């Protein structure tokens, strides 16, 4: 948990964000997957014009949180979790003990493709590679539009070389996405970042959107690619992370007879 002083800064008396008033479903096309008692509905990415947004998290039974989330530091679009789920994590996900690699992140129940999740942490300086960390580089979005898309930049993304603003460190927070592993040589990722960030330049906290690339069965590990440089800089060798209890998506092996 975060210190009381830090919590006070970025919750900023937003009692309205915890309202229990139910939101009407959007008219956008939705993909659903049954989790048993409830059907998981793919969340819609928020826009500045939306105002307070509905928390993205689901409960352990698959029921979507109905709390509203408002800006915490004046950012155009807040990290899409209410204060409760910022510190407890999305109930659709579960942190488990891995027999070889510390902790892992798995689906608590079946998740659909395009299920949205948010990584978040405290903004600060990048530590040296000899210190264990799960930080992610921070590229703050446009303070007015809340997006990292810039039509003037080739590829549509904000120019990284001029927009870098430290890292987001999830240490000591309730973030659970930090425990998503990197796929091994015989495995593939089933989630990825979208380069859609939350937060302000030089702000206290920030976040990054992730989305599932395919349906994720119950107890399957959630994996995303760390980048080849991550391993090289730490002098580490990639290894497969899937286990019998917590499997990982496998890379398809082409048959020798295939044309």
């Amino acid at each position: 948990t975060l210190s009381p002083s830090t919590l006070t800064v970025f919750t900023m008396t937003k009692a309205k964000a915890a309202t229990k008033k139910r939101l009407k479903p959007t008219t956008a096309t939705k993909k659903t997957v049954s989790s048993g008692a409830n059907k998981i509905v793919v969340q819609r990415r928020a826009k500045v014009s939306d105002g307070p947004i509905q928390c993205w998290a689901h409960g352990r039974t698959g029921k979507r949180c109905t709390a509203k989330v408002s800006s915490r530091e004046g950012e155009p679009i807040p990290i899409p979790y209410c204060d409760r789920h910022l510190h407890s994590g999305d109930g659709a996900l579960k942190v488990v003990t891995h027999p070889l690699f510390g902790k892992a992140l798995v689906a608590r129940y079946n998740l659909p493709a395009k299920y949205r999740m948010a990584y978040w942490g405290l903004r600060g300086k990048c530590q040296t590679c000899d210190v264990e960390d799960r930080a992610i580089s921070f590229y703050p979005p446009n303070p007015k539009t809340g997006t990292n898309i810039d039509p003037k930049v080739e590829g549509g993304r904000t120019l990284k070389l001029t927009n870098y603003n430290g890292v987001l460190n999830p240490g000591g927070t309730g973030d659970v996405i930090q425990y998503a592993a990197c796929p091994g040589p015989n495995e593939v990722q089933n989630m990825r970042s979208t380069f859609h960030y939350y937060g302000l330049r030089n702000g206290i906290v920030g976040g990054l959107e992730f989305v599932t690339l395919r349906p994720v069965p119950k107890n399957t590990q959630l994996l995303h690619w760390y980048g080849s440089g991550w391993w090289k800089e730490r002098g580490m060798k990639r290894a497969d992370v899937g286990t019998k209890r917590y499997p990982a998506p496998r890379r398809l092996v082409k048959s020798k007879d295939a044309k």
Side-chain angles (χ1 to χ4, degrees):
T1 58
L2 302 179
S3 65
S5 59
T6 302
L7 279 171
T8 300
V9 172
F10 73 83
T11 52
M12 299 179 71
T13 69
K14 294 293 184 179
K16 294 181 181 179
T19 180
K20 295 183 179 180
K21 181 179 178 181
R22 291 184 176 276
L23 301 180
K24 295 181 179 180
T26 63
T27 56
T29 302
K30 296 180 179 297
K31 293 187 177 181
T32 63
V33 169
S34 175
S35 66
N38 295 283
K39 288 187 176 181
I40 305 303
V41 179
V42 172
Q43 317 94 317
R44 181 177 64 84
R45 179 183 289 173
K47 299 179 180 178
V48 173
S49 58
D50 290 341
I53 62 176
Q54 184 179 355
C55 177
W56 276 3
H58 288 75
R60 295 190 176 190
T61 61
K63 184 178 180 181
R64 174 83 177 269
C65 178
T66 58
K68 289 183 178 179
V69 186
S70 298
S71 175
R72 296 179 170 93
E73 295 184 82
E75 71 279 14
I77 302 175
I79 299 168
Y81 290 138
C82 64
D83 289 345
R84 173 191 169 193
H85 285 108
L86 271 180
H87 302 293
S88 66
D90 186 342
L93 312 173
K94 180 171 61 173
V95 178
V96 298
T97 299
H98 194 284
L100 298 174
F101 305 117
K103 296 185 182 298
L105 185 67
V106 304
R108 188 179 297 277
Y109 36 71
N110 296 339
L111 295 178
K114 298 185 179 180
Y115 184 82
R116 296 183 188 279
M117 304 156 284
Y119 165 104
W120 74 280
L122 300 176
R123 194 191 64 79
K125 295 181 179 180
C126 182
Q127 299 188 56
T128 56
C129 293
D130 61 325
V131 178
E132 180 183 2
D133 74 276
R134 299 181 178 89
I136 289 180
S137 297
F138 180 51
Y139 300 97
N142 184 293
K144 293 183 179 180
T145 65
T147 178
N148 288 83
I149 302 301
D150 185 349
K152 297 180 181 179
V153 177
E154 184 179 356
R157 291 183 172 184
T158 300
L159 189 60
K160 292 185 178 183
L161 294 177
T162 60
N163 200 43
Y164 176 79
N165 191 218
V167 299
L168 301 178
N169 190 342
T173 75
D175 173 74
V176 297
I177 304 301
Q178 62 177 299
Y179 298 111
C182 179
N186 300 300
E187 299 164 338
V188 294
Q189 64 178 356
N190 53 8
M191 63 180 281
R192 68 172 180 84
S193 68
T194 64
F195 203 74
H196 184 86
Y197 285 84
Y198 304 96
L200 292 174
R201 173 170 291 279
N202 300 326
I204 297 175
V205 298
L208 174 62
E209 178 187 84
F210 280 80
V211 63
T212 56
L213 300 174
R214 63 186 74 188
V216 182
K218 178 180 177 180
N219 286 329
T220 296
Q221 291 190 52
L222 288 145
L223 309 178
H224 68 97
W225 177 235
Y226 288 10
S228 58
W230 191 94
W231 300 94
K232 183 178 180 180
E233 291 166 358
R234 291 162 176 77
M236 300 171 65
K237 186 177 180 180
R238 285 171 60 210
D240 290 345
V241 297
T243 67
K244 183 176 181 180
R245 186 175 184 182
Y246 303 120
R250 302 287 293 180
R251 185 179 300 279
L252 294 178
V253 178
K254 293 183 178 181
S255 171
K256 295 182 179 180
D257 297 329
K259 295 181 179 180

